[in-house]
Amino acid sequence: MKTVYFLLSLCLASPASAYTAPKPNKPTTISHRRAFLSKITGATIAATSAVTLNPNSASAADDNLQNVYWGAGCYWHVQHEFILAERSILGRKDNELTSLTGYAGGFKTDSEGRVCYHNFQSIADYGKFGHGEVVGMTIPESKVEDFAVEYFKLFGDKGERADPGDKGGEYRSLLGLPGGSKHPAFAQVEAAGKARGMTLVDGKGNDPDTLGKRLVYVYDSNKFPFYQAEFYHQYHNDFLTP
């Protein structure tokens, strides 16, 4: 069983640390995500809390739970889709869900082990550290293929992610498995990608955007671990829906 900590600070930081939420750039069309971030600009939060999630399984396969992550643009939408997948594939209830937004694929944290969203103080900025937005979760190894199929459904017929307006390495398409391309289920994951016209390549860390390339970087999650995102980035119930 996995213990997942919900950290209610604006960053995965000590209780004493806090910073001001970022002010988004002016988009041509304001997304739900950017509108939300603009509302909390100037707000400062410094509090921590912990919740234990105990994902139960419909099969004995849960005895081999693994931490994996998936990224395709803004993590709000991706989290929504994987919560639905946890419910449909694993039969998990709300108190058993493990999908959390976060960051991965970069080389660094700050001296306190933090990775944070963009902020005015430039504290542990995930973009500067080369990380991308992802959703991390704990699933049975035997179900990795099923979740890979759901992941590649996030891409359109032309291989584009759902939010092409968000650009930069922070929004690149990536996935993380223990062992990366050497994971036992990687052949099935790659096949699921090819069925959608996507190419999987080994990520080197701090990789560029994949927009327009039909490309997904594959990371060894042991070498490029998942860092949970701030509380205010959790559970937005699909920002793409009006």
Side-chain angles (χ1 to χ4, degrees):
M1 293 187 180
K2 183 175 189 281
T3 299
V4 180
Y5 293 97
F6 282 65
L7 299 180
L8 306 189
S9 59
L10 286 184
C11 174
L12 295 183
S14 63
S17 61
Y19 64 84
T20 305
K23 185 176 182 180
N25 295 326
K26 294 181 179 179
T28 302
T29 301
I30 298 178
S31 67
H32 291 270
R33 168 183 163 117
R34 289 172 177 167
F36 169 80
L37 292 175
S38 68
K39 289 180 181 179
I40 65 170
T41 299
T44 302
I45 300 174
T48 60
S49 180
V51 175
T52 301
L53 299 181
N54 298 312
N56 296 322
S57 175
S59 72
D62 257 17
D63 291 339
N64 190 17
L65 290 170
Q66 295 188 338
N67 296 325
V68 302
Y69 55 78
W70 318 85
C74 173
Y75 44 25
W76 288 3
H77 172 62
V78 177
Q79 183 185 41
H80 172 81
E81 296 303 313
F82 277 113
I83 283 176
L84 296 180
E86 284 195 77
R87 288 171 174 164
S88 64
I89 296 172
L90 302 178
R92 287 177 174 168
K93 300 177 182 178
D94 287 350
N95 66 334
E96 298 169 338
L97 298 171
T98 63
S99 294
L100 294 169
T101 59
Y103 313 105
F107 290 113
K108 300 194 306 181
T109 67
D110 73 355
S111 60
E112 297 181 35
R114 299 177 299 182
V115 178
C116 304
Y117 191 71
H118 304 307
N119 57 91
F120 289 139
Q121 292 88 341
S122 295
I123 297 173
D125 187 303
Y126 81 104
K128 293 181 179 179
F129 286 167
H131 295 281
E133 295 191 9
V134 298
V135 171
M137 66 198 65
T138 304
I139 59 176
E141 180 180 334
S142 64
K143 298 297 182 180
V144 167
E145 179 182 1
D146 294 330
F147 277 81
V149 170
E150 294 303 312
Y151 170 67
F152 287 108
K153 288 180 182 177
L154 296 174
F155 299 93
D157 293 338
K158 296 181 179 180
E160 298 304 328
R161 55 186 181 243
D163 58 337
D166 287 324
K167 299 178 181 179
E170 298 99 315
Y171 302 104
R172 65 189 184 270
S173 301
L174 69 157
L175 62 88
L177 305 169
S181 58
K182 293 181 170 45
H183 186 276
F186 177 72
Q188 290 85 355
V189 173
E190 187 174 39
K194 287 183 177 179
R196 297 287 294 172
M198 306 297 288
T199 299
L200 279 62
V201 299
D202 288 332
K204 298 179 180 179
N206 195 16
D207 296 290
D209 199 355
T210 54
L211 189 64
K213 300 178 181 179
R214 303 186 76 106
L215 186 71
V216 176
Y217 294 111
V218 179
Y219 295 94
D220 181 347
S221 57
N222 296 320
K223 296 179 180 179
F224 296 92
F226 169 82
Y227 298 92
Q228 184 185 318
E230 299 79 0
F231 177 72
Y232 73 91
H233 275 305
Q234 306 295 338
Y235 306 114
H236 284 269
N237 197 27
D238 192 359
F239 82 100
L240 292 176
T241 301

